[in-house]
Amino acid sequence: MSVPMDGDTVWLSQAQMTELFNVDRTVITRHVNNIFKEKELIRESNVQKMHIAKDS
């Protein structure tokens, strides 16, 4: 897995996070949404909008 780094920051897609932590994508989505809800990070600065097609 290729992991882009920017100083001490790593940038991962949800798919990469599910692989890293061995959890379902919904777990990652819930955690990320809580981070934005608690205003730990600003959504607009940290989310790339893209369509995710469901695997068959």
Side-chain angles (χ1 to χ4, degrees), residues 26-43:
T26 59
V27 174
I28 301 298
T29 300
R30 192 172 337 131
H31 183 70
V32 170
N33 284 334
N34 284 337
I35 289 170
F36 295 137
K37 181 180 174 184
E38 298 295 324
K39 299 193 186 327
E40 291 179 50
L41 293 173
I42 299 168
R43 179 182 300 271

Side-chain angles (χ1 to χ4, degrees), residues 3-21:
V3 178
M5 296 189 68
D6 181 13
D8 291 335
T9 303
V10 296
W11 295 95
L12 299 174
S13 67
Q14 284 187 342
Q16 290 170 314
M17 286 187 267
T18 63
E19 184 179 338
L20 177 65
F21 296 110

Side-chain angles (χ1 to χ4, degrees), residues 12-16 25 46-53:
L12 299 174
S13 67
Q14 284 187 342
Q16 290 170 314
R25 187 180 60 81
N46 292 282
V47 174
Q48 178 183 7
K49 293 185 181 189
M50 58 189 324
H51 173 73
I52 300 174

